[in-house]
Amino acid sequence: MSLLSVRGLRKSFGSNVVLDGFDLEVSAGECVVLIGASGSGKSTLLRCVNLLETVDDGVIHLGSEDITDPRVDPDRVRSRMGMVFQAYNLFPHLSVLDNITLAPMRVHGRPRADATAAARAILERVGLADKASVRPDELSGGQQQRVAIARALVNSPELMLLDEVTSALDPELVGEVLDLLISLKAEGMTMVLATHEMAFAKQVADRVCFLHGGAIHEEGPPAALLGAPSRERTRAFLSRFVGL
Amino acid sequence: MANPPDERVDAPGGLTDRWVPSALEQERRAYRRSRTVRSAAIASISTILVVGALGWVLTHSSGWPRVQETFFDWDKAVASFPAVLSGLWLNIRVLLVCAVLITVLGLTIAVMRTLRGPVFFPLRLFGAAFTDLFRGLPLLLVLLLLGFGVPALGLDGLPQEAVFWGCAALVLSYSAYVAEVFRAGIESVHPSQRAAARSLGLTHTQSLRFVIVPQAVRRVLPPLLNDFVSLQKDSGLIAVLGVVDAIRAAQIETARDFNFTPYVVAGVLFVCLTVPMARFTDWVARRQGFQGSGLV
Ligand SMILES: Nc1ncnc2c1ncn2[C@@H]1O[C@H](COP(=O)(O)OP(=O)(O)OP(=O)(O)O)[C@@H](O)[C@H]1O
Ligand SMILES: [Mg+2]
């Protein structure tokens, strides 16, 4: 059974219909990469799944729970997922450690000592153990993004949603974040990520989905979809990326 | 995963020890120093000239002897100083109590106005009505209405003291302003911060409390302190209710011989009270400007 199941999702902003009958199934442990032109709705989809947007129509299941049901508590649903944003969105007034312990303490009610220990362990893991007490703006972009991933990971989410987590980074820093995601995947983390980096998609994806016209236009394993797309629109999009 | 060493950040640390500024840099620094000295000299000379000219014009005007006698009588100043100073002590206490209450009430109203959802409509409406009303009413009017009107009702249980109603008027008027400052701060925090907080599972209230409001307060600290500087002097308006603060004390001293020097004494004391606060505000603003540059 799928861990995440999106069926017939529709989302519009005013007259701009962004997602129109969108379907996506993600099984546990799978890494799905969303690609598509700017404005094709990648971020919108991730925000809908994270319940940061209310959907116009369709259903989203997380496990066996219909999370688009207005009777479910959105805060509890969100705490089962980890979301990482393109612009990191770290809290500038809190130290790195406090950024990470905020949710465990306030949402999950863990005692401070316990939350701090968990945060230190996760910082160790993303290679930033020595940065626990600094403010986010004293870190490089790659370090900030790794803190944002650590912040999302510390709650042991069932699903990670990553929105263009590398587009603000130079190639070397992309490597840092990529290594981290590959190791997460090896541990069986389920991930949905939006990206414009085809090389990145190639390395982490089990499946790549090309979004166009408010739905998945074409999908498949990375080698097949990126190497030999079968549909005209996909080919046109991918032809812009050199070195594939 | 192995920890990737953060070479980018750590590397330059050890290299800076033996650095001696190049000849070019030393020349640039010498030039900057000379410019600083030059500007300081120009500033002092022009200040002396302007103040001197003003003083000369004033003291050589035909009415000056009379003005000096009624406003700047040294003996009168010394004689009235203790009474005015003890009046000022009341202003200071009023100020401290009001500042705390204004902060609490202002922030509460601001948060009320940012609540979303139909359930909170009455609170939003109340917040909007409160700010509209008390920003619109002249402070003097609020003082008179509360200070003379409410005690006249003769309701049991309500305090009768003029100081209490004077403070109440200050708190109501200023909270309306301060609420708007806080609200501007809350709305200036980028929506992505709220999204990040919500995506971690924090509730609306928790997001406000731990993420949005702390950032908002930091941002609006300079304008907020500015409002408190203004409150320091407006605390003198409670004199109209007959409360013996610095201004009322000066008025009493003046009434004996129609010499207005005590008012000048009170004015000087008020300025002495607000200057440190104003400098503190500047200092906070500068520090924020420096810190703020790194954020978005
Ligand atoms: N809050 C919003 N209000 C109005 N329109 C929005 C909003 N968010 C997104 N849109 C619109 O929805 C469409 C899809 O946006 P979305 O951010 O999902 O695209 P994307 O695929 O993530 O693009 P990119 O690759 O540039 O990040 C765009 O046309 C955008 O203008
Ligand atoms: Mg996007």
Side-chain angles (χ1 to χ4, degrees), chain A residues 37-44 46-47 86 163-164 194 196:
Chain A
S38 206
S40 57
K42 304 180 292 295
S43 302
T44 304
L46 295 179
R47 291 174 62 87
Q86 173 176 353
D163 192 2
E164 293 186 35
H196 283 294

mmCIF file of all heavy atoms in Angstrom, chain A residues 37-44 46-47 86 163-164 194 196, ligand 2:
data_model
loop_
_atom_site.group_PDB
_atom_site.id
_atom_site.type_symbol
_atom_site.label_atom_id
_atom_site.label_comp_id
_atom_site.label_asym_id
_atom_site.label_seq_id
_atom_site.Cartn_x
_atom_site.Cartn_y
_atom_site.Cartn_z
ATOM 1 N N ALA A 37 8.625 22.748 -15.541
ATOM 2 C CA ALA A 37 8.930 24.162 -15.735
ATOM 3 C C ALA A 37 8.543 24.961 -14.497
ATOM 4 O O ALA A 37 7.734 24.518 -13.689
ATOM 5 C CB ALA A 37 8.184 24.687 -16.957
ATOM 6 N N SER A 38 9.126 26.133 -14.389
ATOM 7 C CA SER A 38 8.763 27.048 -13.315
ATOM 8 C C SER A 38 7.274 27.358 -13.422
ATOM 9 O O SER A 38 6.778 27.672 -14.500
ATOM 10 C CB SER A 38 9.584 28.326 -13.477
ATOM 11 O OG SER A 38 9.730 28.950 -12.254
ATOM 12 N N GLY A 39 6.556 27.233 -12.315
ATOM 13 C CA GLY A 39 5.125 27.505 -12.355
ATOM 14 C C GLY A 39 4.287 26.281 -12.675
ATOM 15 O O GLY A 39 3.062 26.375 -12.781
ATOM 16 N N SER A 40 4.934 25.115 -12.813
ATOM 17 C CA SER A 40 4.164 23.918 -13.163
ATOM 18 C C SER A 40 3.454 23.326 -11.949
ATOM 19 O O SER A 40 2.680 22.384 -12.082
ATOM 20 C CB SER A 40 5.086 22.876 -13.803
ATOM 21 O OG SER A 40 6.138 22.564 -12.925
ATOM 22 N N GLY A 41 3.729 23.838 -10.744
ATOM 23 C CA GLY A 41 2.959 23.405 -9.580
ATOM 24 C C GLY A 41 3.676 22.469 -8.627
ATOM 25 O O GLY A 41 3.038 21.856 -7.773
ATOM 26 N N LYS A 42 5.002 22.370 -8.738
ATOM 27 C CA LYS A 42 5.747 21.472 -7.844
ATOM 28 C C LYS A 42 5.614 21.927 -6.388
ATOM 29 O O LYS A 42 5.272 21.132 -5.513
ATOM 30 C CB LYS A 42 7.245 21.460 -8.240
ATOM 31 C CG LYS A 42 7.494 21.074 -9.690
ATOM 32 C CD LYS A 42 8.970 21.068 -10.035
ATOM 33 C CE LYS A 42 9.634 22.443 -10.049
ATOM 34 N NZ LYS A 42 9.146 23.352 -11.080
ATOM 35 N N SER A 43 5.888 23.212 -6.163
ATOM 36 C CA SER A 43 5.788 23.712 -4.785
ATOM 37 C C SER A 43 4.355 23.636 -4.293
ATOM 38 O O SER A 43 4.107 23.286 -3.132
ATOM 39 C CB SER A 43 6.250 25.170 -4.715
ATOM 40 O OG SER A 43 7.556 25.282 -5.186
ATOM 41 N N THR A 44 3.419 23.963 -5.170
ATOM 42 C CA THR A 44 2.013 23.929 -4.786
ATOM 43 C C THR A 44 1.621 22.532 -4.329
ATOM 44 O O THR A 44 0.941 22.362 -3.312
ATOM 45 C CB THR A 44 1.138 24.390 -5.954
ATOM 46 O OG1 THR A 44 1.576 25.687 -6.358
ATOM 47 C CG2 THR A 44 -0.330 24.441 -5.572
ATOM 48 N N LEU A 46 3.580 20.174 -3.040
ATOM 49 C CA LEU A 46 4.182 19.883 -1.736
ATOM 50 C C LEU A 46 3.460 20.643 -0.632
ATOM 51 O O LEU A 46 3.233 20.113 0.456
ATOM 52 C CB LEU A 46 5.676 20.243 -1.748
ATOM 53 C CG LEU A 46 6.541 19.406 -2.701
ATOM 54 C CD1 LEU A 46 7.995 19.861 -2.651
ATOM 55 C CD2 LEU A 46 6.457 17.919 -2.358
ATOM 56 N N ARG A 47 3.074 21.897 -0.916
ATOM 57 C CA ARG A 47 2.369 22.684 0.097
ATOM 58 C C ARG A 47 0.980 22.105 0.381
ATOM 59 O O ARG A 47 0.521 22.147 1.525
ATOM 60 C CB ARG A 47 2.269 24.148 -0.338
ATOM 61 C CG ARG A 47 3.639 24.863 -0.346
ATOM 62 C CD ARG A 47 3.526 26.265 -0.919
ATOM 63 N NE ARG A 47 2.643 27.105 -0.112
ATOM 64 C CZ ARG A 47 3.040 27.816 0.941
ATOM 65 N NH1 ARG A 47 4.311 27.796 1.304
ATOM 66 N NH2 ARG A 47 2.189 28.549 1.611
ATOM 67 N N GLN A 86 13.017 25.858 -0.039
ATOM 68 C CA GLN A 86 14.128 26.355 -0.849
ATOM 69 C C GLN A 86 14.945 27.414 -0.104
ATOM 70 O O GLN A 86 16.159 27.425 -0.151
ATOM 71 C CB GLN A 86 13.557 26.956 -2.135
ATOM 72 C CG GLN A 86 14.590 27.652 -2.983
ATOM 73 C CD GLN A 86 13.982 28.145 -4.292
ATOM 74 O OE1 GLN A 86 12.843 27.855 -4.614
ATOM 75 N NE2 GLN A 86 14.780 28.866 -5.046
ATOM 76 N N ASP A 163 11.529 20.978 -1.075
ATOM 77 C CA ASP A 163 11.233 21.862 -2.203
ATOM 78 C C ASP A 163 12.482 22.603 -2.660
ATOM 79 O O ASP A 163 12.926 23.545 -2.008
ATOM 80 C CB ASP A 163 10.154 22.864 -1.783
ATOM 81 C CG ASP A 163 9.595 23.624 -2.970
ATOM 82 O OD1 ASP A 163 10.019 23.340 -4.106
ATOM 83 O OD2 ASP A 163 8.737 24.494 -2.749
ATOM 84 N N GLU A 164 13.042 22.170 -3.772
ATOM 85 C CA GLU A 164 14.225 22.837 -4.342
ATOM 86 C C GLU A 164 15.251 23.177 -3.287
ATOM 87 O O GLU A 164 15.685 24.313 -3.159
ATOM 88 C CB GLU A 164 13.802 24.091 -5.097
ATOM 89 C CG GLU A 164 12.992 23.736 -6.313
ATOM 90 C CD GLU A 164 12.676 24.945 -7.158
ATOM 91 O OE1 GLU A 164 13.526 25.834 -7.230
ATOM 92 O OE2 GLU A 164 11.595 24.965 -7.746
ATOM 93 N N ALA A 194 11.129 18.301 -5.048
ATOM 94 C CA ALA A 194 11.022 19.080 -6.274
ATOM 95 C C ALA A 194 12.387 19.656 -6.574
ATOM 96 O O ALA A 194 13.074 20.118 -5.668
ATOM 97 C CB ALA A 194 10.012 20.210 -6.078
ATOM 98 N N HIS A 196 15.196 21.447 -9.854
ATOM 99 C CA HIS A 196 15.549 21.802 -11.230
ATOM 100 C C HIS A 196 16.895 21.190 -11.611
ATOM 101 O O HIS A 196 17.402 21.419 -12.688
ATOM 102 C CB HIS A 196 15.643 23.328 -11.374
ATOM 103 C CG HIS A 196 14.305 23.997 -11.443
ATOM 104 N ND1 HIS A 196 13.450 23.811 -12.491
ATOM 105 C CD2 HIS A 196 13.689 24.850 -10.588
ATOM 106 C CE1 HIS A 196 12.348 24.532 -12.278
ATOM 107 N NE2 HIS A 196 12.466 25.156 -11.122
HETATM 108 MG MG MG C 2 8.677 26.036 -6.426
#
